[in-house]
Amino acid sequence: MTKRLLAVLAHPDDESFGPGGTFARYAAEGVDVHIAIATDGAAGSVASGYEEAREKLAEVRAGELETAVSVLGATLHTLGYRDSGYINDPANQHPEAFINADEYEAIGRVVRLIREIQPQVVVTHDETGNYFHPDHIFCWKITTPAFHAAGDPTQYPDIGPAPYQPQRLYYTAFPNTMIKFYTFLMRLRGQDPRHAGRNKDIDFTRLGFPRNKIHAVIDYRDYWDVKREASAKHASQGGGTGNSRALPEWFQRRFLARETYIRAVPPVPDGFRETDLFE
Ligand SMILES: [Zn+2]
């Protein structure tokens, strides 16, 4: 039986900067990996040198996304929404912004994908949106009910082929041990972790989950370069160079090439640990 994975993520770049190592590894191991990106990324910030791309950012980012997803070895789907900004961004007032979408209708778009693709495993952002990004949180908010509705013949009866119930639902989540390590590095470099990110509006000290809430750890050491290559395709977003630039690459590859998840369905007790989403 073919193993299939569907990830529903907010922005063009979340698939590479986020769980890209997991996707690259599973695709290389023969899993049919599908990535659905909810928004066009048009409210995202642009890296220096890409100011001109501002005007046609959705178009630029669609091209970057397509090449990044093919580097990962996955199949791309889009939900077709307009990007919202970070908390308090004026882009969030736009009536077509993802976070203002009709929830019932948005859940239906994910139900359709689940019924068409029939994945055993579904992945989305966690309830904190990794760093409280409203689009990430909205992904969690629609994908969780869609996971359950897809297998229920009484819900969305006219959408997609027959009802299909995936087996597992995972949320991408960072352990706060890792976050503490990054905030330590930020302080070393004279940065304030409570006002981080390009717009200084991300409070790193509030991020992450206790270690015993992290249920799955995927080692992607052998796919480190693939993730890096896919991330580099998002040039208008800086190509995925983060805090870890301060660390030697051998160290990162050896100790940081892990992506971590909360297992939402079926539920598991705190402290549970697995190393394969299909195990
Ligand atoms: Zn994002």
Side-chain angles (χ1 to χ4, degrees):
M1 193 184 56
T2 310
K3 291 177 181 172
R4 285 181 295 269
L5 182 152
L6 169 66
V8 182
L9 301 169
H11 306 114
D13 73 17
D14 288 326
E15 84 297 334
S16 298
F17 298 178
T22 303
F23 301 151
R25 176 177 157 180
Y26 278 124
E29 289 175 355
V31 175
D32 196 5
V33 177
H34 294 259
I35 296 170
I37 299 295
T39 77
D40 58 8
S45 46
V46 288
S48 60
Y50 281 84
E51 290 79 3
E52 279 176 18
R54 256 251 150 273
E55 294 307 306
K56 47 180 173 84
L57 194 53
E59 201 183 307
V60 169
R61 299 201 64 185
E64 291 175 344
L65 175 63
E66 210 169 297
T67 42
V69 168
S70 72
V71 167
L72 294 175
T75 303
L76 175 65
H77 306 264
T78 52
L79 296 188
Y81 289 102
R82 189 188 170 89
D83 196 6
S84 323
Y86 198 58
I87 300 161
N88 297 327
D89 190 306
N92 297 349
Q93 306 302 323
H94 199 287
E96 284 161 33
F98 181 42
I99 56 168
N100 300 325
D102 178 75
E103 238 174 87
Y104 181 81
E105 199 271 336
I107 293 167
R109 293 193 196 190
V110 181
V111 166
R112 178 187 299 278
L113 281 177
I114 292 173
R115 288 178 179 171
E116 284 172 356
I117 296 164
Q118 305 195 331
Q120 292 90 352
V121 171
V122 174
V123 171
T124 190
H125 299 283
D126 71 72
E127 65 188 276
T128 71
N130 309 113
Y131 61 101
F132 307 103
H133 195 298
D135 281 332
H136 291 202
I137 295 171
F138 202 70
C139 265
W140 165 80
K141 213 173 175 181
I142 64 168
T143 304
T144 303
F147 177 92
H148 298 287
D152 181 346
T154 67
Q155 294 201 55
Y156 297 93
D158 303 326
I159 281 192
Y164 171 84
Q165 184 57 58
Q167 291 155 22
R168 291 188 179 188
L169 175 62
Y170 288 94
Y171 300 141
T172 63
F174 313 118
N176 52 16
T177 42
M178 187 185 103
I179 300 293
K180 278 179 188 142
F181 177 63
Y182 280 120
T183 56
F184 168 74
L185 286 180
M186 289 166 100
R187 288 195 165 104
L188 273 187
R189 298 164 82 199
Q191 295 168 342
D192 181 356
R194 287 164 307 159
H195 298 96
R198 204 169 281 155
N199 300 316
K200 308 280 173 238
D201 53 1
I202 299 170
D203 181 353
F204 261 65
T205 63
R206 287 176 63 214
L207 308 187
F209 288 83
R211 240 191 128 55
N212 65 355
K213 303 268 183 211
I214 300 293
H215 306 128
V217 180
I218 304 299
D219 184 328
Y220 68 94
R221 234 178 299 175
D222 296 341
Y223 302 92
W224 175 269
D225 294 320
V226 184
K227 176 173 180 166
R228 198 170 59 172
E229 192 193 334
S231 297
K233 300 297 179 195
H234 292 285
S236 76
Q237 303 303 303
T241 45
N243 294 298
S244 48
R245 212 197 264 179
L247 294 166
E249 189 174 326
W250 66 265
F251 179 89
Q252 295 183 50
R253 196 188 284 260
R254 176 71 185 81
F255 296 103
L256 301 179
R258 292 182 185 89
E259 288 159 353
T260 48
Y261 301 85
I262 291 169
R263 185 164 124 186
V265 181
V268 281
D270 289 355
F272 175 87
R273 200 41 83 83
E274 64 189 352
T275 55
D276 180 2
L277 306 182
F278 289 87
E279 204 164 66

